[in-house]
Amino acid sequence: MELRILGPLQVLRDDGELIEVISPKRQALLALLALNLNAVLSMDRIIDELWGDSPPGDGPRNVRVHISRLRDLLDPERRRGESGEVIATKPSGYVLQIDPEAVDAHRFSRLVAEARAALVAHPEEAAARAREALQLWRDRPLTGLEFEEFAQAELRRLEELHLAAKAVILEAAIRTGDAVGAIPDLERLALEQPLREHVVALLMEALTEAGRRSDALRAYRDLEVRLAQELGLGPSKELRALEERILLLDTASPSVAKTDHADNRGLPSRVTSFVGMESEL
């Protein structure tokens, strides 16, 4: 069985047949169990997550009915009256028991982590892993359930990883000498994510390597203004250091794009995906 949440919720049997989960409440229950894969959820937790401040008169009975219907869909071979292997009943609640690799969001997270880990030493491999991850992305995760309270943290996490995967591909292009080719995608990404320092840092670096130092500095100034106006903040110290190094480059020297990539061209150490994330660190 395969469970997909990177888009509308989908369940596929081993033979590829799509299992229809029509009831919105059943979809929400399955999504809740999937986001807490192999962890037991108590009856009280399930009722609270599915109905919030307006639980039905007989919440436990409603949950048991929805669990039973999901078991009929996901584990039709089980004996009537038994909990089956997919959604198991435990003394303290219910648990969805499937291999994490059968969930597209888990595979996506693993591939992005592997891509980021390989970026410095093996940029081409990193880009390949990131592209493989992006192929799993069908739409916004849990489309149709994105406003459920229990989905919010996972949505933010997955969307951050989606951005990270795109950034890995573009940074890998810069590292392998294709800064010019990366610039259009970086400019589009900077328009989509105008307050992301890491994206702007990559754009500044690519523009500098392409010999467009003034455009790189303009990208920095635009971000500086946006951060001040919208967040009341200034650029991170890493980004300021990058701007200072670009300012100090000798404008009479040959295009930085033609120099050996390994010598950093007078730029600071490679700006990483942690730029602008001091509070998270």
Side-chain angles (χ1 to χ4, degrees), residues 120-141:
V120 174
H122 306 287
E124 292 179 346
E125 178 185 339
R129 294 292 177 89
R131 290 190 184 95
E132 185 180 352
L134 291 176
Q135 288 177 353
L136 297 172
W137 191 274
R138 294 174 293 118
D139 201 341
R140 194 177 189 210

Side-chain angles (χ1 to χ4, degrees), residues 240-260:
R240 292 197 304 271
L242 177 58
E243 185 235 9
E244 290 170 4
R245 295 298 182 91
I246 294 173
L247 284 169
L248 292 173
L249 288 176
D250 181 4
T251 57
S253 65
S255 171
V256 292
K258 297 180 181 179
T259 62
D260 183 0

Side-chain angles (χ1 to χ4, degrees), residues 78-97:
R78 84 186 199 284
R79 292 182 179 179
R80 182 62 59 183
E82 293 184 353
S83 69
E85 298 180 358
V86 180
I87 301 179
T89 301
K90 302 294 181 181
S92 55
Y94 298 99
V95 55
L96 180 63
Q97 300 180 141

Side-chain angles (χ1 to χ4, degrees), residues 25 45-56 148-149:
K25 193 61 71 177
R45 166 87 182 276
I46 292 173
I47 292 172
D48 183 60
E49 296 285 13
L50 294 186
W51 287 283
D53 295 332
S54 304
E148 296 286 349
E149 186 65 30

